[in-house]
Amino acid sequence: MTQPPLQRDRLALELTNVTLSVQRAQSAAEALRVAAGGLEALGFDVAVVEASEERFRLRYLSSRPELARLRQALAPHLTGFTSGPGDGLGTVAATDQALFLDALPEATRAWAAARGAPPTLLEDASAHLRRRAVVTSLTSGRETWGGVIVMHDDLQPDDRPLLSLFSLQVGNWLRVVEGLERLDRRTAELELVHALAVSSIRSNVDALCRSALETVCRTSGSDAGALHRFERGSGEYVLVGDALGYHGALADQYRRFMLPADGVPAPMVKRVEALGPSGAELARVGFHHSAVVPLRLEDASVGLLSLFRREDRPFSDSELRSAEILGLQMASLLERQRLYLESQRLYADLKASYDELERAQVELVRHERLAALGELAAVMAHEVRNPLGVIFNSLTTLKRLLRPSGDAEMLLSMVGEEAERLNRIVADLLDFARPYELVKKPIALEPFVASAIEAATQALPATAPVTVVQHFERELPPFPLDAHLMRQALINLIVNAGQAMPRGGVVTVSARIEPRALTPWLVLEVRDEGLGLSARATEKLFQPFFTTKATGTGLGLAVVKRIVDSHGGEVRAAPGPERGTVFTIRLPGGTEREGATTPPRASPGTRQR
């Protein structure tokens, strides 16, 4: 496509206007875009080349479709190329002298051929490039930023001074905005270092690490990144929070991973294709370069910082060093969190040990009290039951000899009742103090519960309108327990429930099997319809000698707890869903049981008076 001739009478003024626009740019990328766009508006094709570490890199090429296709074809040869014969880039960069090219296509074809470009590409270069070009350097003081290649069919050697002046002004402003960008990055780095240094161990570490990762990506020119914490126990690297800049299967694949024993001994910069299987996926989603920074403290691995860049430009030494410095602060944060969590775990273990010791001491005191109570009960059984036997025999003889009536009969009956109550107290005390030796055998649960209900019903006053209901949700298999002791405990609970309803009511006894961990547990519930218990009474309910009844001994429920404890189970009292109290006994299976639970069926229920 033929270009219109240059308007040289207005060229200096137009270039000055472009320069003023460039000087309003706030970043190097914006300055380059404005400068190239201004030249294109004047009819030029433009290429901007950056020089860094003695290598050149194409930063901009005019968006004319033919040039876009040419750039795509030349892409493998335009990344980090060195100056070669015929291009003059090295000479321009070294001398700051503008170079006039009268045959740009031929010079480009020679440059591409020297780098092994295919013949078809060489023909495209000849067909779509302008005939002439001026190559100027972008400099600021003594430093060379790169160069500008201005292409136009109507260019003349006399245009070099004006274009050189334009490049000099653009170069100066590039240095200014790059200095501001470096200052902004340094400020961000210092703010991050301060935030991480003063952060509390109770801070939201994931949020801090996310903010740190965003800062590292911004200051290093990365498009994506991830921070992994090293788990010493498993040897795995675990993603902290979420990855930045990529997601989906790629992020899920590397939420947890392991590395060889030596891990990543030093920071490394690689093209993503060299990272192994993950590199292909990274390249597929558009990344070209990676930087991996190991996070270490005192030669111990703490984590891993991974950075990725879509631009086809490798990470520089300064960018890698900046990531190392910030990574060290992130490593310190992760290590502080690990030590804090470790101290919390040790504190929890220590507290659990103290709690266990306290429970053992309480249990020891309780056993000592029970031993003393057992000795006392033995003495009482001997010292009290002998006089009681005399009293019972005397009452029987008096009633036979005197055949009393009226007040005398009433008084003798009262003596007999009180003597019987005293005998029950001694019996309860002996039951409570007696050491239990369990004989656990699998027993059928329905007959066992029915037997306890029958015995408890006989112990209730005949005048009390109490109904006892037996309920099973399903047919239960045999369960291992000491039938004699547990029958006594269940009788005590049923009698206690009946006594809590002086005006009558329904006592419901239910049984079921609950899985807990690997062991099945038997759950027995006794529910009454009484007035319920106060919070204070519930707390002390199973303590010896605590009772809410006027004539109670306070040992019935204490015996229940001793029996349940001896089985390794637990007993609780709680308010009923509507009224009354629910006593719940839970017993572990302990041994393998034969049989299996059958499907649910309707339970006929056993009703007794």
Side-chain angles (χ1 to χ4, degrees):
M1 184 177 67
T2 304
Q3 286 180 296
L6 290 175
Q7 302 294 323
R8 285 186 168 78
D9 55 335
R10 301 181 54 192
L11 185 58
L13 177 61
E14 296 293 344
L15 289 176
T16 300
N17 291 334
V18 174
T19 301
L20 294 175
S21 299
V22 169
Q23 292 175 352
R24 288 193 289 269
Q26 299 299 311
S27 67
E30 183 184 359
L32 289 176
R33 187 171 60 253
V34 171
L39 289 173
E40 289 173 351
L42 298 178
F44 295 103
D45 285 340
V46 183
V48 179
V49 178
E50 180 184 1
S52 59
E53 300 177 358
E54 300 181 354
R55 300 181 72 84
F56 296 93
R57 183 170 61 90
L58 184 65
R59 284 288 298 268
Y60 183 87
L61 184 65
S62 289
S63 57
R64 186 158 57 92
E66 296 86 348
L67 291 183
R69 289 194 297 270
L70 181 60
R71 177 178 182 175
Q72 185 177 5
L74 281 171
H77 311 284
L78 294 176
T79 301
F81 63 88
T82 57
S83 179
D87 55 29
L89 285 172
T91 302
V92 172
T95 63
D96 290 342
Q97 298 296 319
L99 176 68
F100 177 75
L101 298 176
D102 190 37
L104 179 62
E106 290 78 359
T108 304
R109 191 164 59 248
W111 178 86
R115 288 159 176 79
T120 54
L121 179 59
L122 303 181
E123 294 302 322
D124 286 343
S126 300
H128 301 305
L129 287 175
R130 304 302 181 189
R131 290 295 309 165
R132 296 172 178 174
V134 172
V135 183
T136 62
S137 63
L138 289 174
T139 60
S140 176
R142 299 180 179 180
E143 297 181 359
T144 299
W145 189 93
V148 178
I149 304 174
V150 182
M151 297 167 278
H152 198 283
D153 293 333
D154 195 29
L155 278 172
Q156 300 295 329
D158 293 342
D159 295 323
R160 286 180 295 177
L162 183 60
L163 292 174
S164 294
L165 178 61
F166 173 79
S167 296
L168 176 63
Q169 293 171 326
V170 173
N172 285 332
W173 188 249
L174 279 175
R175 286 300 174 188
V176 171
V177 293
E178 283 190 334
L180 293 175
E181 288 178 341
R182 283 195 298 271
L183 181 61
D184 179 62
R185 289 195 297 270
R186 181 65 60 175
T187 301
E189 291 171 357
L190 292 175
E191 289 176 349
L192 173 59
V193 169
H194 178 264
L196 295 180
V198 302
S199 61
S200 167
I201 55 177
R202 293 181 177 85
S203 302
N204 188 330
V205 175
D206 285 356
L208 281 172
C209 288
R210 176 74 176 191
S211 176
L213 188 60
E214 291 174 351
T215 301
V216 172
C217 287
R218 179 162 65 92
T219 57
S220 63
S222 305
D223 299 297
L227 176 65
H228 288 82
R229 175 194 295 109
F230 181 68
E231 299 286 352
R232 296 184 180 181
S234 63
E236 292 182 305
Y237 288 86
V238 181
L239 185 67
V240 178
D242 292 317
L244 178 67
Y246 66 94
H247 51 83
L250 183 60
D252 294 338
Q253 182 181 1
Y254 286 94
R255 289 193 179 277
R256 303 181 75 96
F257 63 88
M258 298 184 70
L259 292 175
D262 56 348
V264 181
M268 64 180 187
V269 174
K270 289 186 177 182
R271 292 190 66 86
V272 295
E273 294 86 349
L275 294 178
S278 63
E281 183 66 17
L282 287 165
R284 189 186 68 79
V285 297
F287 295 111
H288 287 89
H289 292 275
S290 69
V292 180
V293 180
L295 307 182
R296 306 181 69 86
L297 289 175
E298 298 181 355
D299 295 329
S301 181
V302 177
L304 204 64
L305 175 62
S306 306
L307 303 173
F308 306 101
R309 179 177 283 167
R310 296 184 185 278
E311 186 180 2
D312 199 357
R313 175 173 64 91
F315 288 89
S316 66
D317 290 342
S318 62
E319 290 169 338
L320 190 61
R321 180 59 181 163
S322 174
E324 281 187 87
I325 294 172
L326 295 179
L328 183 63
Q329 297 298 321
M330 297 163 75
S332 176
L333 175 65
L334 292 177
E335 182 65 6
R336 278 190 288 141
Q337 185 201 32
R338 186 190 70 80
L339 292 175
Y340 173 70
L341 294 177
E342 181 70 12
S343 67
Q344 291 290 94
R345 185 187 66 80
L346 293 175
Y347 172 76
D349 291 345
L350 184 61
K351 186 177 185 301
S353 298
Y354 278 123
D355 291 344
E356 183 64 27
L357 179 60
E358 184 179 3
R359 284 194 294 269
Q361 290 175 334
V362 171
E363 189 67 15
L364 179 60
V365 171
R366 192 172 71 88
H367 280 297
E368 290 177 349
R369 291 176 60 191
L370 289 176
L373 190 58
E375 295 178 3
L376 176 62
V379 174
M380 287 187 66
H382 178 73
E383 298 295 334
V384 176
R385 276 190 164 171
N386 285 339
L388 283 176
V390 174
I391 293 174
F392 285 130
N393 291 334
S394 299
L395 287 174
T396 303
T397 302
L398 286 173
K399 288 181 179 179
R400 186 178 69 251
L401 295 176
L402 301 178
R403 300 186 182 277
S405 61
D407 291 343
E409 183 182 13
M410 181 185 69
L411 291 174
L412 288 175
S413 297
M414 288 176 60
V415 171
E417 290 174 1
E418 291 303 311
E420 183 62 36
R421 190 168 77 87
L422 185 58
N423 190 48
R424 287 199 305 271
I425 292 175
V426 173
D428 288 345
L429 187 58
L430 286 173
D431 285 341
F432 177 73
R434 182 185 303 117
Y436 297 145
E437 294 183 4
L438 297 186
V439 181
K440 294 177 69 173
K441 294 180 180 179
I443 65 168
L445 293 175
E446 291 194 37
F448 162 74
V449 173
S451 172
I453 291 176
E454 181 179 1
T457 304
Q458 293 175 359
L460 289 172
T463 56
V466 175
T467 302
V468 183
V469 177
Q470 172 183 326
H471 176 70
F472 289 83
E473 293 182 356
R474 63 181 67 201
E475 187 173 312
L476 302 179
F479 197 88
L481 49 81
D482 188 309
H484 174 72
L485 291 177
M486 283 308 305
R487 181 174 180 272
Q488 181 62 48
L490 194 55
I491 290 172
N492 286 5
L493 288 181
I494 297 172
V495 170
N496 183 79
Q499 292 173 347
M501 300 183 298
R503 298 183 180 180
V506 177
V507 176
T508 304
V509 182
S510 62
R512 65 181 183 274
I513 299 293
E514 288 184 352
R516 185 187 296 188
L518 300 178
T519 304
W521 284 59
L522 171 64
V523 180
L524 298 170
E525 285 187 354
V526 177
R527 180 180 303 176
D528 64 55
E529 297 178 342
L531 298 177
L533 298 169
S534 65
R536 178 178 176 274
T538 303
E539 292 175 0
K540 297 185 176 183
L541 200 57
F542 297 102
Q543 293 181 7
F545 306 110
F546 176 82
T547 181
T548 58
K549 303 180 182 70
T551 60
T553 62
L555 291 173
L557 294 180
V559 169
V560 172
K561 180 169 176 56
R562 279 205 63 202
I563 294 173
V564 173
D565 288 347
S566 67
H567 280 75
E570 56 189 30
V571 58
R572 302 282 178 87
E578 297 180 358
R579 58 178 177 170
T581 305
V582 179
F583 286 87
T584 304
I585 295 176
R586 287 184 170 85
L587 302 174
T591 59
E592 292 293 328
R593 295 174 294 112
E594 296 180 356
T597 303
T598 58
R601 66 175 179 82
S603 174
T606 301
R607 304 179 64 87
Q608 299 190 12
R609 292 288 298 213

